[in-house]
Amino acid sequence: MPVSPEIQPAAQWQNNELTLQNPLFREIWRLEPGGQLRLVSFRRAGGPEWISPRPPPAPGPDDAPICAPADSSTAGTRAWNATFSTRADGLILTAELRLDAPENAPATGNAVILPAGAAPRRPLHRLHTFKLHPLIAGAVHQLTGSETDATLRELEAATGTEKNIQLAGRIRVKPNGQTFITPPAIAHPFFGFYPRHLVVRDIQFVDQTDHHSNLVFEREYLMQSGERCLPLQTNLVCIEDTASREGDGFFWLLMAPLHRVRKRWSAVFDFLLAFQKGALTATACPAGYALARVAYTGGRAGATRALHAFQRAFYTVPPAPARSPETCNPLGYKPDAAGAVAENLAIRNPHGRHVTSSGTAFPPEHSALLLSNTWGDRCGAASLSEKFILDEIAAARALGVEVVQIDDGWQKGATVNTPVAGNQGVWNGFWAADPEFWTVNASRFPRGLAPLVEAADKAVVSLGLWYAPDSTGDLANWEKDAAQILKLWREHRITFFKLDAVKLHSRLAETRFHALCDRVLGESGGAIFFDFDATAEHRPTYWGRPGGGELFLENRFTEEGNYHPHQTLRALWSLAHYIRPKRIRLEFLNPARNEPDYVGDPLRPLAYPPEYLFAITMPGAPLAWFEISRVPAVVIERWRPLIVLWKQHREAFQNGSVFPVGRAPNGFSWTGFVSLAEPDADGPRSLYALLFRELTPDENAVIDLPVLLELPKPGRAQKLAGEGAVTIGEGKLIAYIPAAQHFLFARWEM
């Protein structure tokens, strides 16, 4: 819906203070002697002040929780220069504050007095960029510039010895448990908290799903002065005021790969909370990445809603054309000579299109399409041929699949998974192995892709391909890979690519990977969509590119009893507390395969009706992880009506506020999701419930609803699919499903 002018965001620079605000929040940053911005106020509209008016205690000696760096002494002062500017791109406002050494400073700006000892080892160029959206109670902050880039390069090359404390910081723990932190040079200035009673939730995410099934872990700390320092290595921290009846809190979100991926070029902590002289202080060290801080109300459910809203509002699109990444920071921003930032963080405007700072329009965010992939039946490339893919396209049309994706084996070159006689295949160095590696395999597809594209057009189905960017030399061949993907799009109209085998072993490799994606999206006008494989290696996964496309979450197979529906449901349910479900590509398999591998297993795929397997994926982006043309007709007939129904409701369900409810799935619980869907132009609001009765003897369940949900009048819901009935009473779902291992999909109109 259109956003009225009175709720446009605003930024103001006055008396060395930067004020950022919209009707939902306000924050103030003060430029300190030393050249850094300190947060001095942050509050949600109608909510509490989070920042103490008193300056935080200064770092102390080596026996203080927060220790001062060895060479922190300064003497004398000198003048530096600060300039400020803003620009609006659609509904987003970007405020930029640039701090320069005198010899590099522009002719205009405000003089800032800094201690002489703060003079850096190189000319200073700090660009603080803040992005504001009128419907988000917070801002995105990123610190870039020559000093930051040089420090991060040194940090990546550092050996971790004592001489690198200034770069990486240091954590010391005594045998008695006392912890002492020496912050790194690139950490933000500390601020103190105003509320006295806080709980801190450290959320840890796990990827490499080929080796992990438990993907989210949480540690909770009730803060009091006896708590030791908390140096947290994570992407997400939620901080809540336990004294607040409304459940006031805010989240810190570091938009970066998981810490294990970027460990070489990150400091010893991402976030730090510590009591110094009895005062709780905090800082963050985003190390060149974008850092969001967003206020919310409603406790845990409020955090979920705010995180989903943040991911829904911001959608990454590239500058056009993409620039060389060699000196970019990890998100691909590159300051030009005038200090402007190449904008690749945009939002949907009221007209449903994405617009970059250059005015380039991009297609709106697409629906979570039902995609099939030929790899899920473990036949590898053995089945691939023109006839087989034509059969898959025909079967896709009959089932309702919207994208048929051909996995590894369509290309001429052989990977480790597609060996041919005399060639054992490679998993890197694709261009060196064969300059024609990414041309179409002539033995499998003698007429090329043209007959497949023609058949797909007639069936109103899109074609997708598996692709593995070459990670050799820190993705030195990124431009070749971008050009090849664009060639496949131009010549064959391939618009869906699964990116696999990526190895981000350096900051440069990560930067080049973003440059590859940005160039492809920029030159295609946003017509190409990516699935980012999260199953192995070192990849961006959950937060490294949060607006870039779906996450291909996991490989699960019926061989050796590896696929269990309740595990897939648990992965989605766990992640959905933080990650918008629509971003997750989630598998359902052919339950008729490999039944002997599940002998005696009460949670085997065939123990569930086929519809249950698809229903698990409905909040996300469903993945038909099988060869469609080889699924028994009786299973297809059970899936087809539910797929038709899902398509009718997916926009409303997935674009609403989605909350996991019930117990964490374990095969023996009541669990599910609810979604409060906003109205379209003329329709009413809807509340959806998707409930699963796992293998439990209880045919009835009472499930708590988030207290912040606006609820319809009590009454029975309209059953859309599944079995049973559900009503609402006193803020709870009262559900009935007559048989175990069945589901219910229902809706109320508000």
Side-chain angles (χ1 to χ4, degrees):
M1 298 180 64
V3 175
S4 57
E6 61 268 19
I7 67 169
Q8 292 295 327
Q12 182 180 19
W13 170 246
Q14 188 174 14
N15 298 326
N16 285 343
E17 286 193 346
L18 173 65
T19 301
L20 307 169
Q21 62 184 354
N22 64 28
L24 302 181
F25 93 111
R26 184 188 70 179
E27 67 182 31
I28 301 173
W29 296 75
R30 181 175 299 140
L31 187 59
E32 299 275 323
Q36 289 188 309
L37 290 177
R38 185 185 305 280
L39 185 65
V40 296
S41 178
F42 174 62
R43 65 190 308 167
R44 179 180 58 84
E49 172 62 68
W50 285 98
I51 311 302
S52 172
R54 294 179 298 177
D62 284 351
D63 59 352
I66 304 172
C67 308
D71 61 349
S72 61
S73 61
T74 59
T77 60
R78 60 179 298 179
W80 292 64
N81 197 81
T83 56
F84 173 74
S85 64
T86 62
R87 70 172 182 273
D89 302 314
L91 297 182
I92 201 169
L93 178 73
T94 299
E96 298 171 356
L97 180 64
R98 178 174 174 176
L99 186 66
D100 289 276
E103 59 268 26
N104 296 327
T108 60
N110 299 318
V112 180
I113 304 300
L114 305 180
R121 296 163 300 185
R122 60 192 72 83
L124 183 66
H125 170 187
R126 287 175 175 160
L127 185 63
H128 301 262
T129 306
F130 298 83
K131 293 176 173 59
L132 283 161
H133 184 280
L135 302 179
I136 300 298
V140 178
H141 176 205
Q142 188 168 28
L143 177 63
T144 64
S146 59
E147 182 186 52
T148 299
D149 285 343
T151 301
L152 294 177
R153 284 194 296 269
E154 294 174 19
L155 179 62
E156 185 173 13
T159 61
T161 59
E162 288 290 318
K163 65 180 180 180
N164 295 312
I165 292 174
Q166 290 297 314
L167 297 174
R170 182 176 63 173
I171 300 175
R172 293 181 295 119
V173 182
K174 284 186 175 182
N176 66 2
Q178 284 183 287
T179 303
F180 306 94
I181 306 292
T182 303
I186 55 175
H188 287 186
F190 282 87
F191 63 85
F193 282 101
Y194 184 80
R196 300 186 62 176
H197 300 286
L198 298 177
V199 63
V200 175
R201 289 190 283 126
D202 167 18
I203 296 96
Q204 298 284 333
F205 297 90
V206 179
D207 54 10
Q208 293 183 323
T209 57
D210 280 351
H211 315 293
H212 303 280
S213 293
N214 297 285
L215 307 181
V216 181
F217 296 89
E218 181 180 305
R219 291 181 294 182
E220 183 173 285
Y221 303 90
L222 189 63
M223 302 305 294
Q224 62 97 20
S225 57
E227 183 64 62
R228 69 175 191 169
C229 295
L230 296 180
L232 305 178
Q233 297 176 341
T234 186
N235 288 73
L236 179 62
V237 175
C238 294
I239 299 175
E240 294 176 8
D241 181 359
T242 57
S244 167
R245 291 185 177 183
E246 291 76 26
D248 280 296
F250 72 86
F251 68 75
W252 252 332
L253 176 63
L254 185 61
M255 291 187 282
L258 300 187
H259 187 86
R260 67 165 190 85
V261 174
R262 54 185 166 81
K263 184 176 181 180
R264 281 183 53 198
W265 57 94
S266 291
V268 294
F269 62 81
D270 298 316
F271 305 98
L272 174 64
L273 293 97
F275 282 93
Q276 188 87 328
K277 297 183 179 179
L280 179 58
T281 61
T283 187
C285 189
Y289 292 97
L291 180 66
R293 186 181 52 261
V294 175
Y296 59 84
T297 186
R300 288 174 178 269
T304 296
R305 183 171 61 179
L307 280 159
H308 289 188
F310 181 82
Q311 294 166 75
R312 187 165 59 245
F314 287 83
Y315 190 72
T316 303
V317 293
R323 304 180 180 185
S324 169
E326 307 302 1
T327 58
C328 290
N329 66 36
L331 278 186
Y333 302 128
K334 181 182 179 182
D336 60 24
V341 174
E343 182 68 69
N344 75 344
L345 187 60
I347 49 89
R348 182 180 293 187
N349 68 23
H351 306 292
R353 297 180 65 81
H354 294 94
V355 182
T356 65
S357 58
S358 63
T360 304
F362 289 84
E365 181 184 15
H366 67 92
S367 299
L369 301 181
L370 171 52
L371 179 147
S372 73
N373 185 288
T374 56
W375 202 261
D377 283 353
R378 294 302 290 267
C379 294
S383 299
L384 293 187
S385 68
E386 180 180 307
K387 181 182 183 306
F388 171 70
I389 298 301
L390 290 175
D391 290 343
E392 288 290 287
I393 291 170
R397 180 178 184 179
L399 179 59
V401 168
E402 295 159 298
V403 182
V404 174
Q405 191 172 72
I406 310 173
D407 211 281
D408 188 0
W410 66 267
Q411 74 284 355
K412 177 187 175 187
T415 72
V416 293
N417 295 316
T418 56
V420 296
N423 183 352
Q424 294 304 307
V426 296
W427 198 237
N428 203 6
F430 304 112
W431 292 101
D434 185 351
E436 298 182 343
F437 195 97
W438 295 109
T439 58
V440 179
N441 189 303
S443 62
R444 296 188 178 107
F445 303 100
R447 296 195 296 164
L449 298 181
L452 308 181
V453 173
E454 181 181 356
D457 286 345
K458 291 180 180 178
V460 196
V461 171
S462 296
L463 274 186
L465 294 176
W466 174 91
Y467 194 93
D470 192 346
S471 297
T472 302
D474 297 319
L475 274 85
N477 290 314
W478 74 271
E479 291 180 290
K480 288 185 179 180
D481 285 314
Q484 185 62 29
I485 292 172
L486 287 164
K487 182 179 180 181
L488 290 164
W489 167 66
R490 292 187 178 106
E491 294 183 359
H492 303 291
R493 289 178 283 125
I494 306 297
T495 52
F496 291 86
F497 290 86
K498 174 187 173 185
L499 299 186
D500 198 358
V502 174
K503 304 167 182 62
L504 304 181
H505 292 314
S506 70
R507 184 169 174 266
L508 177 59
E510 183 193 357
T511 301
R512 285 171 167 168
F513 179 76
H514 288 300
L516 183 160
C517 296
D518 289 349
R519 176 161 301 178
V520 168
L521 295 176
E523 294 193 19
S524 71
I528 291 174
F529 300 97
F530 291 127
D531 272 16
F532 298 102
D533 188 282
T535 64
E537 310 282 5
H538 288 62
R539 297 170 188 168
T541 63
Y542 305 113
W543 303 114
R545 196 175 175 88
E550 279 78 27
L551 298 175
F552 189 101
L553 187 64
E554 57 191 12
N555 298 312
R556 297 294 182 263
F557 307 99
T558 53
E559 279 75 10
E560 301 179 359
N562 177 255
Y563 166 63
H564 283 92
H566 74 281
Q567 290 277 15
T568 299
L569 179 57
R570 184 183 182 90
L572 177 65
W573 191 92
S574 300
L575 290 170
H577 287 84
Y578 312 103
I579 295 172
R580 190 182 176 198
K582 184 177 179 179
R583 293 180 53 209
I584 301 172
R585 180 75 65 193
L586 203 68
E587 78 281 1
F588 67 107
L589 274 68
N590 177 0
R593 294 186 70 249
N594 301 309
E595 174 64 8
D597 289 350
Y598 291 92
V599 171
D601 188 343
L603 303 180
R604 64 194 182 279
L606 269 180
Y608 304 83
E611 301 95 318
Y612 190 107
L613 308 187
F614 178 76
I616 288 171
T617 72
M618 290 187 346
L623 169 64
W625 191 226
F626 46 77
E627 298 175 349
I628 317 171
S629 57
R630 296 173 181 175
V631 176
V634 66
V635 176
I636 295 291
E637 290 303 315
R638 298 284 293 271
W639 277 335
R640 184 186 294 124
L642 183 57
I643 289 172
V644 171
L645 179 79
W646 169 74
K647 289 179 181 178
Q648 295 170 357
H649 295 275
R650 64 177 164 187
E651 290 273 347
F653 185 98
Q654 294 182 340
N655 291 333
S657 298
V658 181
F659 301 93
V661 295
R663 292 175 53 198
N666 61 8
F668 303 94
S669 68
W670 273 86
T671 188
F673 304 87
V674 295
S675 173
L676 180 61
E678 299 297 332
D680 56 23
D682 302 309
R685 299 181 79 186
S686 297
L687 179 69
Y688 288 92
L690 176 60
L691 303 177
F692 299 89
R693 176 187 168 186
E694 298 189 297
L695 190 56
T696 169
D698 299 324
E699 62 183 20
N700 297 287
V702 178
I703 299 173
D704 290 333
L705 287 170
V707 294
L708 52 76
L709 268 184
E710 179 185 342
L711 299 177
K713 294 179 180 179
R716 189 178 297 271
Q718 174 193 6
K719 185 176 74 172
L720 301 175
E723 303 294 334
V726 59
T727 60
I728 290 178
E730 298 182 357
K732 301 179 186 295
L733 290 176
I734 304 166
Y736 163 72
I737 297 179
Q741 297 178 306
H742 282 65
F743 77 99
L744 173 64
F745 186 37
R747 181 187 65 170
W748 294 261
E749 287 191 358
M750 305 292 281

